[in-house]
């Protein structure tokens, strides 16, 4: 095996892990901190993709559409969802699941009425890169950079900044946070909006690589939930560790056999992991991490 093939394989593996982490980060923020199971997470990502498409058709720069417009629009939508639905259901897990499941169906139906059911997408703004005699997608390197920067920023905010410590404290004890003068309801709202913005960013950034349809949320939600639950309670450490493990397993079996076998191996690995570590990876090796 030549050194070029090794670099290409490592690059593909890093891209698979980065994509998994990017898709899961918004759900990890909402579920890991708030314990709110948002079954509309996949549709939030799809909404970010369609927002990018609409912004491009209106003449917006593609980078601005993906990195700024999509997160803001989905964040505003998340604000409305939190104020109108989620805030009435805190502490009621089953009701929250039913409400967000209904929201996902309604959002998928609304997108079908507006955009139709045909597959659409965004032009890839980056050409290919050469690794020796092989060509790899330059946009994949951008995905790796965005995912790394996003997770590093989340870790810094939650671990080192005062606002992150207030959020983590409020999630552990809303009564003590309120006694210290902080409004738990506002903290919940801000956390849900932040998670929605991260989902919108994921949808915008991934839109040049995936064919978007109104029902595409299903392809994101399953992987995101498996990754978040396998990672455990810690938002960033859990997302990174679970993405690295599951992404590596999926990629190795994909190279050895086919993408379908890779997906099956990912699911089997997650089941075995949760059998051994019911509370996720971070319950044993990353206790106290953000």
């Amino acid at each position: 095996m030549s050194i070029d093939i090794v670099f290409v394989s490592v690059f593909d593996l890093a891209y698979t892990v980065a994509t998994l982490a990017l898709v899961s980060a918004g759900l990890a923020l909402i579920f890991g901190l708030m314990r709110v199971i948002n079954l509309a997470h996949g549709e939030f990502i799809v909404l970010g993709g369609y927002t990018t498409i609409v912004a491009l058709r209106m003449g917006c720069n593609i980078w601005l559409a993906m990195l700024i417009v999509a997160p803001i629009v989905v964040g505003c939508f998340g604000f409305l969802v939190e104020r109108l639905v989620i805030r009435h259901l805190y502490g009621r897990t089953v009701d929250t699941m039913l409400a967000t499941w209904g929201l996902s169906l309604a959002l998928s139906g609304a997108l079908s009425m507006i955009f139709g059911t045909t597959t659409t997408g965004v032009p890839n703004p980056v050409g290919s890169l050469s690794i020796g005699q092989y060509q790899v997608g330059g946009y994949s390197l951008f995905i790796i950079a965005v995912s790394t920067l996003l997770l590093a920023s989340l870790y810094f905010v939650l671990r080192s900044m005062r606002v992150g410590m207030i959020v983590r404290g409020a999630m552990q004890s809303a009564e003590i946070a309120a006694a210290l003068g902080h409004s738990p309801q506002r903290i919940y709202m801000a956390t849900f909006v932040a998670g929605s913005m991260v989902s919108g960013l994921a949808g915008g950034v991934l839109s040049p690589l995936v064919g978007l349809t109104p029902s595409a949320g299903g392809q994101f939600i399953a992987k995101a939930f498996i990754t978040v639950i396998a990672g455990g309670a810690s938002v960033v450490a859990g997302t990174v560790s679970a993405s690295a493990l599951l992404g590596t397993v999926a990629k190795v079996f994909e190279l050895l056999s086919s993408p379908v076998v890779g997906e099956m191996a990912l699911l089997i690995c997650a089941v075995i992991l949760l059998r051994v570590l019911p509370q996720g990876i971070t319950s044993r090796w990353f206790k106290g991490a953000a």
Side-chain angles (χ1 to χ4, degrees), residues 250-264:
K251 194 64 184 178
V252 168
F253 279 88
E254 179 183 326
L255 292 174
L256 293 176
S257 181
S258 67
V260 175
V261 174
E263 298 286 333
M264 293 173 61

Side-chain angles (χ1 to χ4, degrees), residues 33 158 162-172 187-188 190-191:
L33 288 175
L158 292 174
R162 184 171 181 270
V163 63
M165 296 180 185
I166 292 174
V167 170
R168 293 169 61 196
M171 300 308 167
Q172 294 180 9
I187 294 174
Y188 295 156
T191 304

Side-chain angles (χ1 to χ4, degrees), residues 33 35 50 55 62 86 94 146 157 214 230 232 243 245:
L33 288 175
R35 315 311 293 176
Y50 275 109
I62 187 170
I86 302 297
V94 175
V146 169
V157 170
S243 298
L245 176 61

